[in-house]
Structures are given as C-alpha cells and as structure tokens.
Amino acid sequence: MTATRTADARAVAWHIIRAVHRDGQWTGPAVDRALRSSDLDGRDRAFASNLAFQTLRWQGTLDWALSQVVRRPLSAVEPGLHDLLRMGAWQLLYGRMPDRAAVSATVEVARAVLGVRTVGFCNGVLRALARRRERLPWPDTDSVSGLALRTGYPNWVVEAAIERFGPDATAQLEAGNQPAGLTVRGDDVATLRARLEAAGATVRAGRLSPDALHVDGITPGDLVDRFPDAVIQDEASMVVGHTVAAAVPAGTKVLDVCAAPGGKATHLAALGLATIAADRSPVRLTTVARLAARLGLPLGFVVADGTRSPWRPDAFGAVLIDAPCSGLGVVRRRPELRWRRRSADVTSLSALQGELLAVAAPCVEPAGALIYSVCTWTRAETVDVVSAFVARHPGFSLATVAPPADAAGGSGGTDVQLTPAAHGCDGMYIAVMRRRE
C-alpha cells in the first residue's frame, strides 16, 4: 500500500465519518456508498472501512485524549477538522503504525480536503498527542469513567451494562466493539451457499438459525445486486421470526406492528405465516413492499401507527412488536448509535414500548401470542417493560420461548437475551406473552 494510496484511503474514511456526523447517515450504508464511488483496491477499501468504523466507535475516548493536548474546547474546532483529528488520534492510540506515518498521512488529508490553513494545527495537535501518549492521565478502570474510556462508550451506557450484566458488563461492552460480519437469510440455504461459493465468497452455516449463512468476500451492496433472493439479516433477528413461527400454527394470521425495513415481516411470510406488515411511515412501508416483491412473498400492507391501533379485537393469532429502542445491541454495525443516544432516550423509549404492547394486546385472539423484541439489552427496555405489561394485563402470561431461541442459551425459558459476547450475534431481547383463553 503506497503512501499516496494510504492517503486516498484516509480521505475516503474521512468522507464516511462526515456523512455520519454531518448528514446523519448510518455507518454501514455510508461505507458502502463511499467505497462504491472510490477507485480503491481491495486492501485500501478494507483500510478505509476499518478506519471509519474504529474512529466512530472510539469517538469519546479519542475526544478525551485530544482534550489533553488541545488548548481550546473541542467544540470550538471546525467539525471537519475535528473528525480528522479523531482519525489521527485513533491511528496513534490504536492503529499500530509508526507515529510519523500516522501524523503525516493525516496532515496530507487535511491539506487535500480542508486546505492548507488547517495543516499547522492538525500537525501540531497530533504530534503533541504522539509525544504525550504514554503519559496521558487515564482514570482508573475500576471507575465508571475509566471503564467507559477503556471500552469506548458514554458513561451512562457503562452504568446500564453494569446494572444489567453485573460482573459480565465489561465482556458485553467489549463484544460490542468487535466487527460484525455479513449474515444473510435464504429460503434454500444449500443452493444459495453453493452460488455464493461459486462467486468466490467464503460461507459458513449459521449458529442460531437454520436459514442463516455467514458470508465473507463480498460487500453488502454487491450481494444484493448479484443475489436478489438473499436478505441481509443478523441471526438474532432471524431468531425472532422462528420464535413467532413456533408460537402459533402454520398459516396463522400475524401482524408485524413496526415492520420497516421488512426483514422480520418477510421472514414470517417465508415461514408460512399470513403476515400483515404495518408501519406508520408510508415511505418506510414502501421499502418493505419492495423487499417482499423482490423475494416473491405474499404480504399485506397497512399504514398504521402502533400507538393508535386500527385493528378490531381478536383479529390476529399473533402480534409482533419489534419496538423502537436504544439499539445498543447493534453497536457492532452502528458504532455511532452509542454517541447519538442519551440516557433520557431509554426512559422515553421504554414508555413507548409499553404503550405499543398495551395498544396491541386487544388485537390478539384468545390463546394467541404477543411477541416483544428489541435490539438492545438495557433493563428498562427489556425485562422491566415485559414485567410491567404482564402486571397490568392479567389476561396475558409469559410463555416459554421455543427453540431455537431458548436453545441459544439466553436468559431463561420465558425470555431470551441474545448478546454478541455469548452468541456472536446482535444483542436482541425476545419475550412471548400468551393470551389466556
């Protein structure tokens, strides 16, 4: 990898980070768009992608380190330059490359994308950080702030992890920093696997879901273009589909209340359930419809707000509430989420989650199932929401979560908490509540 190509890769990484911070994009799609429009080779594409993900992942720790050598508040630094300093800081602290190369290459990106006026400041800050790196006053890792800096999370997330996981909190947080691979779902997994391998991809079977394949050697964008019958979906989300399917007979009429972007709704249809996909956003529901059409799956579509149910009582054999949540279970794929969320969000989201369950409950027919899932692990959004619902709705009781979820080693028979640390998948909480006859 030549010096010029390295600088090009760093420039691509900077554009990805700016797309996330300035435009509010998610990291994965931003990476895919940037790489598609670049002329980087395979090695430099991997470098640019990793640099962007890692800089976004360790943003808080990088800012703390930079604050030790920058004399002005970081909030006063131009946002684009601030992101360049973060990129350079990650390379100095974690990148395992010579200091001179990390500094000079980052400075050249500053010159190219922001102009010569930024070169002196960028060079001075990164050189100062390189000199002081071994003498930075890191707080004790036994403290919340020290553990937050060590693992790359806001303090409130660390506190929530300690509350939920106790002595396993550090392992759970560190697992959220590991890169997440590409996982796809297919109806005919044997044929799909053979086609992927013929295209040069490395493929292995899923661990938790029979219709899952883990794929290396192909980008998400290329996969969708070349294999339209494959659905990009984490195994944890597939476990949700199988949990619903195991709770009711084949052909049961099922409502997915928060269906967009459609992974779970189309999975339910593929598993033989008569599925209605609902979402309050017509635009987002269109995305679900396009996915269903691409896969050739029969789905019904209704624009509906889950907090103001239009459904008649006893209308569905099962209702899935895959609720909006803090998303801390998917920070491997969306590292920016940990910095976008605030502790107050958990409070407001848990109230919304409880409301969605309460509104959906009358739509479940006697002996039917109400399934709750969230891609997070905070106590307030998982066990507390379900416990409060059951306490307020005596017509429902917790039911056993059927395989493959309980076989995956979750938190117990009546609910499951999947985590990257224990299961190598997204952090997903699942509970099944059965309506009494």
Side-chain angles (χ1 to χ4, degrees):
M1 186 162 56
T2 67
T4 301
R5 294 293 290 174
T6 303
D8 290 345
R10 287 182 173 88
V12 170
W14 179 80
H15 282 291
I16 293 167
I17 295 167
R18 294 306 300 141
V20 171
H21 285 158
R22 182 189 60 230
D23 305 329
Q25 295 184 24
W26 297 117
T27 304
V31 167
D32 198 45
R33 291 188 196 98
L35 294 183
R36 281 190 171 206
S37 62
S38 77
D39 61 351
L40 300 180
D41 61 25
R43 187 177 179 186
D44 282 356
R45 287 162 70 94
F47 179 89
S49 176
N50 184 63
L51 180 55
F53 265 97
Q54 297 289 15
T55 301
L56 292 163
R57 186 172 285 132
W58 291 93
Q59 177 177 309
T61 304
L62 301 175
D63 281 353
W64 178 88
L66 287 168
S67 72
Q68 308 303 307
V69 297
V70 177
R71 295 182 180 179
R72 71 181 81 164
L74 290 175
S75 59
V77 177
E78 177 186 344
L81 180 56
H82 188 177
D83 281 335
L84 265 178
L85 294 176
R86 287 165 168 159
M87 275 177 44
W90 183 83
Q91 293 167 83
L92 290 171
L93 296 177
Y94 304 108
R96 299 181 181 179
M97 61 186 65
D99 291 353
R100 179 175 297 180
V103 173
S104 62
T106 304
V107 167
E108 286 308 305
V109 177
R111 188 190 309 276
V113 300
L114 295 175
V116 69
R117 62 183 175 79
T118 64
V119 166
F121 182 72
C122 183
N123 184 65
V125 169
L126 294 180
R127 286 187 180 278
L129 181 58
R131 288 193 302 270
R132 290 195 58 190
R133 179 178 50 208
E134 304 302 327
R135 296 180 286 109
L136 292 175
W138 297 99
D140 193 316
T141 55
D142 289 337
S143 67
V144 168
S145 60
L147 183 57
L149 290 175
R150 172 188 160 187
T151 56
Y153 291 85
N155 287 357
W156 75 267
V157 175
V158 171
E159 291 170 347
I162 292 171
E163 178 190 27
R164 183 70 197 277
F165 300 115
D168 294 329
T170 300
Q172 300 293 346
L173 293 168
E174 289 177 339
N177 289 331
Q178 300 304 310
L182 178 60
T183 307
V184 301
R185 188 188 85 228
D187 291 337
D188 185 348
V189 288
T191 301
L192 178 59
R193 178 170 187 166
R195 289 163 54 213
L196 286 164
E197 290 175 338
T202 302
V203 185
R204 60 184 175 86
R207 172 183 172 187
L208 306 178
S209 176
D211 36 17
L213 294 172
H214 296 275
V215 184
D216 291 314
I218 189 170
T219 67
D222 289 342
L223 186 139
V224 172
D225 289 343
R226 299 169 63 183
F227 301 91
D229 56 330
V231 180
I232 297 175
Q233 187 177 32
D234 188 79
E235 278 201 82
S237 293
M238 297 184 212
V239 171
V240 174
H242 286 291
T243 299
V244 177
V248 292
T252 295
K253 189 176 181 181
V254 174
L255 171 66
D256 184 350
V257 173
C258 308
K264 295 181 181 68
T266 54
H267 194 200
L268 295 177
L271 292 172
L273 299 173
T275 307
I276 304 296
D279 201 274
R280 69 178 186 176
S281 167
V283 174
R284 285 171 57 81
L285 197 62
T286 299
T287 302
V288 184
R290 287 173 179 164
L291 177 60
R294 192 184 93 199
L295 299 173
L297 292 171
L299 235 65
F301 305 97
V302 178
V303 177
D305 186 338
T307 64
R308 295 190 294 272
S309 173
W311 316 108
R312 72 176 188 275
D314 308 340
F316 300 97
V319 174
L320 170 63
I321 305 290
D322 184 49
C325 68
S326 61
L328 295 178
V330 297
V331 293
R332 298 182 307 160
R333 305 177 190 280
R334 296 179 173 178
E336 69 285 342
L337 257 179
R338 68 188 78 187
W339 307 112
R340 288 184 182 176
R341 294 297 192 197
R342 299 291 182 267
S343 59
D345 295 334
V346 171
T347 302
S348 59
L349 285 164
S350 62
L352 173 60
Q353 292 151 5
E355 184 179 7
L356 288 168
L357 283 170
V359 171
C363 307
V364 180
E365 66 184 22
L370 178 60
I371 298 91
Y372 175 71
S373 66
V374 279
C375 56
T376 193
W377 44 256
T378 66
R379 180 176 295 278
E381 298 175 90
T382 57
V383 293
D384 286 355
V385 168
V386 169
S387 297
F389 172 82
V390 173
R392 293 169 184 166
H393 295 80
F396 285 83
S397 59
L398 281 167
T400 300
V401 178
D406 61 356
S411 59
T414 57
D415 64 353
V416 165
Q417 179 68 70
L418 302 173
T419 66
H423 310 100
C425 63
D426 289 344
M428 182 74 70
Y429 177 81
I430 310 167
V432 178
M433 290 150 283
R434 181 77 63 183
R435 183 179 173 185
R436 294 187 174 91
E437 294 191 44

